Amino acid sequence: MSDIAIITTCMGRLEHLQQSLPTWLNQGAAEVVVVDYSCPQQSGEWVEQNHPGVKTVRCEGKTHFRIAHARNLGAAASTASWLCLT
């Protein structure tokens, strides 16, 4: 179990996730959780194919982004003591 989790959400911003995710993974012992919040670019699939060690949470069927809901889903999937929400 990691002491800290980096939790990020994605809905229509896959290109930003592709740039930032490698930086978070270089943090070493941090757990990384990505919430695919009905992303039209299927960010969850991309994460699983390119970074299999990252936890991926999918929330399907949403048409409006609700950041609090997305972050809560990521927090629920984490096992870390501390959460860093991005």
Side-chain angles (χ1 to χ4, degrees):
M1 177 170 91
S2 296
D3 287 336
I4 190 164
I6 300 171
I7 299 171
T8 192
T9 61
C10 188
M11 183 183 203
R13 298 178 59 116
L14 178 59
E15 63 279 357
H16 298 283
L17 181 63
Q18 290 169 330
Q19 292 175 356
S20 56
L21 187 57
T23 302
W24 298 327
L25 293 173
N26 287 333
Q27 298 303 310
E31 174 186 52
V32 179
V33 180
V34 174
V35 179
D36 177 342
Y37 203 78
S38 299
C39 182
Q41 300 144 322
Q42 300 172 343
S43 60
E45 185 175 314
W46 178 84
V47 170
E48 289 172 349
Q49 289 176 357
N50 293 280
H51 302 283
V54 172
K55 285 188 180 179
T56 306
V57 177
R58 286 190 172 84
C59 182
E60 298 179 5
K62 302 296 182 185
T63 56
H64 298 338
F65 185 62
R66 293 177 43 216
I67 194 165
H69 183 237
R71 286 178 171 173
N72 285 339
L73 292 172
S78 175
T79 59
S81 302
W82 294 91
L83 305 177
C84 174
L85 305 172
T86 65

